[in-house]
Amino acid sequence: MSVASSCASGSVEVPLLEETIGANLDRTVRDFPDRDALVDVAAGRRWTYRELAADVDALALGLLDLGIEQGDRVGIWAPNRAEWTLVQYATAKIGAILVTVNPAYRSHELEYVLNRSGIRLLVSAGRFRNSDYAGMVEEVRPRCPDLEFTVLFDGPRWDALLERGRLADPAVLARAAAALHPDDPINIQYTSGTTGFPKGATLSHRNILNNGFFVGELCGYTEADRVCVPVPFYHCFGMVMGALACTSHGAAMVIPAPAFDPAATLAAVEAEACTSLYGVPTMFIAELAAPGFDRYDLSSLRTGIMAGSPCPVEVMNEVIERMGMTEVSICYGMTETSPVSTQTRADDSVERRVSTVGRVGPHLEVKVADPRSGRTVPRGTPGELCTRGYSVMIGYWGEPDKTAEVVDREGWMHTGDLAVMDADGYLSITGRIKDMVIRGGENLYPREIEEFLHTHPDVLDVQVIGVPDAKYGEELMAWVRMREGAEPLTADAVRAYCEGRLAHFKIPRYVHVVDEFPMTVTGKIRKVEMRAMAARLLEGAPEGV
């Protein structure tokens, strides 16, 4: 009996949405005008779909009045808040391309994204916690020639933008919307790639609207659902699987806090009777360990999404038993695929949900191929996971050569992940071809961090690797060669050098000073050997060593 090949196609029973994000929102508003659309718990504010549409349209008209046009890049740099969502939908309505900037970025990374994508308007928080966004914007602005406008939330320019829009002629917005097409680019998300600095994955209305819609379909969403979204909006998890999954079904999106807070998340689920909760495994672990967990009424929960890294079976059992999320779903994907390619179903066993990343989603194809020959391998055989369909990005912004490295001539996106497909089409991720580090759901590529650490005056050479970590899955470790006469660097010294210039999650937790790196006879760094050596070094070692 022959073994089936490792390829599978998703169902096509429910048709793709062939409309823009703005048109889809308008349709939902007509169907469910008085249902809750958006609840910002921390700010004590809420919008029905009718009210959300009014504010989105006002902001869209304000942007048009400012001179923002279809194809212009509008950056957003802020933690989660209701205004973030208004900007997301207002830019979509006029065809401006929203560039999502990680709120943990510092000036070094902000400048790179502003210049790389040619942002004309940056909408930003003033400050949050230890991040002085306004100060960093002013610091880099002289070096960003494309940046014409900056608007701070809670500032007079934001209020003026909305007020200008409320006084404008709605016909202007209707004309702008009529000129848009579902295949137009609408979002740039910066993600670490195969080499160098982050690349801007460019996504269309069709990409992200359909991905949000079908993720919601597999979660069984209707207008009765209320989805708690503590994951960041700047990433597809928040703005696609969260916002677009909700608005394409008439469901309510609940923002528990600007940044993840276990107690605030649990309180929001209780107060808003949420039926669904999102997070990476570390978030669910923190919620289950929150003081007074058993006092929260979570009886409204039935489903949710866990993604970003594998879920331990003990955690999955607790999420189902103690949180009532009997239909919780595991999703797998990448920014370049809008993001979800595979997903577990509501009736899948706990074993399926902890050992696999589910089956292919609707209107998508997946295959597991030999990385060298490109041939599809038999089921049960490891190879590179590839995906094809509506979700594959338009390309990396301004980098066609980099796009061609990951999307082949037949339209297959090569994920760089090693996977195995079983007889029923379920996929298990077994490793990564790319040297990516995944820390608590954040994808980190060492070369960007290495290039930054090379700017330290005492560093001769540096290699960054991922090492196992019980809490985050992986942590960063820097192997450093010092310049002659320089004092060996400590983890604290590296942290001090990076703070304010690199996002906190990119700062290596461990530093190991060496004279030489393990190398092949041809002169290539052997990171596999480094990771094995690091695991031995860290057994029982003090913090940061």
Side-chain angles (χ1 to χ4, degrees):
M1 182 177 177
S2 62
V3 178
S5 63
S6 295
C7 56
S9 300
S11 66
V12 294
E13 294 171 12
V14 178
L16 285 166
L17 299 176
E18 299 292 354
E19 58 190 348
T20 64
I21 290 168
N24 180 263
L25 177 62
D26 288 344
R27 185 155 58 89
T28 299
V29 172
R30 288 193 297 271
D31 290 342
F32 310 108
D34 299 317
R35 295 201 72 91
D36 280 350
L38 179 63
V39 181
D40 188 336
V41 176
R45 297 176 298 165
R46 64 183 62 233
W47 286 255
T48 64
Y49 269 98
R50 192 196 315 273
E51 292 165 341
L52 177 66
D55 280 355
V56 166
D57 286 359
L59 180 56
L61 282 161
L63 292 172
L64 289 169
D65 189 59
L66 189 64
I68 301 300
E69 301 175 341
Q70 180 181 357
D72 283 342
R73 272 76 69 204
V74 175
I76 184 165
W77 192 32
N80 291 7
R81 56 187 293 164
E83 290 86 354
W84 208 110
T85 303
L86 298 183
V87 173
Q88 177 182 349
Y89 287 90
T91 51
K93 281 233 170 179
I94 66 173
I97 301 173
L98 184 67
V99 183
T100 55
V101 184
N102 189 327
Y105 274 4
R106 293 297 182 262
S107 56
H108 172 76
E109 298 136 321
L110 173 66
E111 181 180 343
Y112 174 83
V113 170
L114 288 170
N115 285 327
R116 190 75 192 179
S117 56
I119 289 174
R120 282 191 68 201
L121 164 66
L122 178 66
V123 185
S124 171
R127 63 179 308 117
F128 180 70
R129 293 181 176 170
N130 65 342
S131 294
D132 180 5
Y133 296 112
M136 286 186 276
V137 170
E138 290 307 307
E139 176 189 340
V140 305
R141 188 167 186 165
R143 301 190 296 275
C144 300
D146 294 314
L147 184 61
E148 296 178 43
F149 312 104
T150 59
V151 175
L152 299 181
F153 291 133
D154 302 319
R157 289 183 181 177
W158 172 258
D159 294 334
L161 202 57
L162 282 166
E163 190 57 33
R164 288 164 72 172
R166 291 190 181 101
L167 298 173
D169 181 359
V172 175
L173 178 56
R175 287 194 295 271
L180 307 182
H181 189 277
D183 288 327
D184 291 339
I186 202 62
N187 180 215
I188 299 174
Q189 299 208 17
Y190 276 85
T191 178
S192 294
T194 53
T195 57
F197 285 96
K199 298 186 288 294
T202 307
L203 305 168
S204 68
H205 295 267
R206 193 170 188 263
N207 286 149
I208 60 177
L209 174 59
N210 278 287
N211 206 259
F213 173 68
F214 282 110
V215 165
E217 287 286 285
L218 293 181
C219 287
Y221 287 165
T222 71
E223 71 275 12
D225 279 291
R226 304 176 68 81
V227 184
C228 185
V229 187
V231 295
F233 287 174
Y234 78 88
H235 188 270
C236 278
F237 202 168
M239 68 169 288
V240 177
M241 300 153 73
L244 288 168
C246 287
T247 59
S248 61
H249 289 86
M253 178 171 53
V254 177
I255 307 169
F260 176 63
D261 179 300
T265 300
L266 294 169
V269 169
E270 177 178 16
E272 295 298 328
C274 293
T275 59
S276 177
L277 174 61
Y278 289 3
V280 298
T282 52
M283 289 181 173
F284 285 101
I285 291 168
E287 288 154 8
L288 289 160
F293 172 86
D294 292 324
R295 293 197 297 271
Y296 293 99
D297 180 1
L298 308 179
S299 59
S300 57
L301 285 173
R302 68 167 180 86
T303 188
I305 294 175
M306 199 180 301
S309 58
C311 178
V313 63
E314 297 84 1
V315 176
M316 179 62 75
N317 283 326
E318 284 199 79
V319 166
I320 292 171
E321 293 168 11
R322 297 181 65 201
M323 302 181 82
M325 296 171 59
T326 55
E327 299 175 20
V328 64
S329 180
I330 299 295
C331 290
Y332 163 84
M334 58 195 307
T335 304
E336 290 90 337
T337 55
S338 303
V340 176
S341 297
T342 69
Q343 186 172 352
T344 60
R345 278 38 171 189
D347 57 354
D348 282 338
S349 66
V350 171
E351 172 61 24
R352 291 281 200 201
R353 286 184 259 188
V354 297
S355 64
T356 80
V357 292
R359 293 179 282 137
V360 63
H363 295 275
L364 296 174
E365 299 173 83
V366 292
K367 69 176 182 179
V368 179
D370 184 304
R372 295 182 179 86
S373 69
R375 296 190 183 94
T376 305
V377 300
R379 295 201 179 190
T381 303
E384 183 181 18
L385 178 58
C386 303
T387 185
R388 181 169 68 177
Y390 75 83
S391 69
V392 175
M393 65 175 179
I394 296 171
Y396 293 123
W397 183 260
E399 298 189 83
D401 292 345
K402 298 297 183 186
T403 304
E405 290 176 6
V406 294
V407 182
D408 66 25
R409 293 178 183 176
E410 296 179 337
W412 288 102
M413 175 74 205
H414 292 251
T415 68
D417 287 323
L418 292 169
V420 175
M421 182 183 291
D422 70 14
D424 298 317
Y426 286 83
L427 286 152
S428 300
I429 305 299
T430 59
R432 293 188 301 282
I433 299 171
K434 301 172 186 176
D435 194 23
M436 192 80 76
V437 177
I438 300 180
R439 180 192 181 277
E442 289 282 355
N443 290 347
L444 308 177
Y445 193 76
R447 182 170 169 183
E448 180 193 359
I449 302 163
E450 290 164 358
E451 290 192 8
F452 178 76
L453 291 178
H454 269 289
T455 65
H456 192 292
D458 294 336
V459 170
L460 176 64
D461 200 0
V462 59
Q463 296 290 326
V464 174
I465 60 173
V467 293
D469 183 78
K471 181 176 181 182
Y472 293 106
E474 288 184 293
E475 271 284 7
L476 292 171
M477 182 181 196
W479 286 44
V480 180
R481 295 175 61 202
M482 307 301 301
R483 295 191 184 278
E484 188 174 350
E487 289 291 325
L489 279 176
T490 64
D492 287 341
V494 169
R495 189 174 300 113
Y497 183 74
C498 295
E499 281 180 350
R501 303 171 74 189
L502 276 187
H504 67 88
F505 55 80
K506 295 181 182 177
I507 300 175
R509 180 176 175 184
Y510 305 104
V511 173
H512 181 49
V513 176
V514 295
D515 293 326
E516 300 289 345
F517 300 126
M519 302 180 78
T520 67
V521 292
T522 58
K524 293 181 180 178
I525 304 294
R526 288 185 50 81
K527 285 197 171 182
V528 171
E529 186 176 334
M530 289 171 63
R531 282 190 285 268
M533 293 170 65
R536 293 193 294 270
L537 283 169
L538 294 174
E539 286 182 7
E543 181 77 8
V545 175

